[in-house]
């Protein structure tokens, strides 16, 4: 079973690729994931790494005069060079097969209802499928608008910045598929926070406020697309 490796070390990091970047010596967390990715984290920024190398890439640990130097190289030849001053922790763990994100009952039901009533997003909308699979997880709803353009819909009970970021990653991936591109995005939720709406607008993503009762047929005209 592939493992995840956790290393806490006093280290410096140099990136050499399209640009160059340097992280001076400091204590940091290094994650080596089972998919081959390597990321360097500080004790801030929530989940966002200071620097990283996406898979596929190779990690070579130096020996002899280069002991303590890790060199990570991706398929484009870009390098992430990690120079260890002191390793404080080094462990590997088998996480097993991840079951993926399980939405709560309301989100799952919203997805089902909206897929069944996809025309509420606009006249002429047609459903392609729910839970459209991608390499980074399923898109809640993939559909087409009246012009035949592909639309990816991310559904949340409460729309916040993380949801917009998630949809942005899906759009970036889907737009690489020539059979789907160009793909537009709709961020749909029962409530959308102002910061999330600003970020979505900045990225060209539409926002839809969903009324759960209206989708269930209790009330009408409660879905607004901005």
């Amino acid at each position: 079973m592939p493992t995840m490796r956790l290393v806490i070390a006093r280290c410096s990091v140099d990136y050499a690729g399209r640009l160059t970047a340097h992280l001076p010596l400091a204590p940091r967390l290094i994650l080596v994931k089972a998919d081959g990715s390597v990321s360097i984290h500080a004790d801030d920024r929530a989940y966002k790494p200071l620097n990283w190398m996406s898979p596929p890439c190779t990690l070579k640990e130096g020996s002899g005069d280069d002991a303590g130097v890790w060199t990570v190289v991706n398929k484009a030849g870009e390098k992430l060079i990690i120079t260890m001053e002191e390793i404080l922790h080094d462990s590997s763990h088998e996480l097993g097969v991840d079951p993926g994100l399980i939405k709560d009952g309301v989100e799952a039901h919203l997805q089902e209802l909206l897929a069944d009533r996809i025309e509420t997003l606009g006249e002429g909308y047609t459903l392609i499928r729910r839970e459209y699979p991608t390499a980074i997880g399923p898109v809640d709803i993939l559909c087409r608008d009246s012009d035949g353009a592909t639309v990816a819909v991310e559904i949340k009970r409460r729309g916040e910045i993380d949801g917009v970021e998630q949809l942005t990653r899906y759009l970036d991936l889907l737009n690489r598929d020539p059979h789907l591109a160009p793909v537009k995005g709709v961020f749909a939720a029962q409530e959308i926070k102002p910061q999330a709406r600003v970020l979505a607008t900045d990225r060209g993503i539409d926002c839809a406020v969903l009324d759960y009762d209206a989708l269930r047929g209790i009330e009408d005209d409660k879905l607004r697309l901005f």
Side-chain angles (χ1 to χ4, degrees), residues 108 111-112 115 127-133 139-142:
Q111 182 192 116
E112 180 182 349
L127 179 69
I128 296 176
R129 67 167 290 176
R130 292 170 53 196
E131 298 288 331
Y132 185 87
V139 177
D140 287 338
I141 291 177
L142 199 69

Side-chain angles (χ1 to χ4, degrees), residues 201-218:
T201 301
D202 182 68
R203 295 183 177 179
I205 295 172
D206 290 328
C207 292
V209 177
L210 304 177
D211 187 303
Y212 186 53
D213 290 336
L215 285 173
R216 293 171 61 198
I218 296 175

Side-chain angles (χ1 to χ4, degrees), residues 95-103 131 137-138:
L95 300 186
V97 178
D98 190 275
L101 177 67
I102 299 176
K103 292 180 176 290
E131 298 288 331

Side-chain angles (χ1 to χ4, degrees), residues 11-17 19-24 28 40 51 53 70-72 78-83:
C11 63
S12 59
V13 183
D14 292 278
Y15 168 79
L19 302 171
T20 59
H22 174 72
L23 295 174
R28 297 190 177 92
I40 296 96
N51 214 326
M53 194 69 81
W70 290 12
T71 303
V72 186
E78 299 167 316
K79 293 182 179 181
L80 197 63
I81 301 170
I82 307 169
T83 304

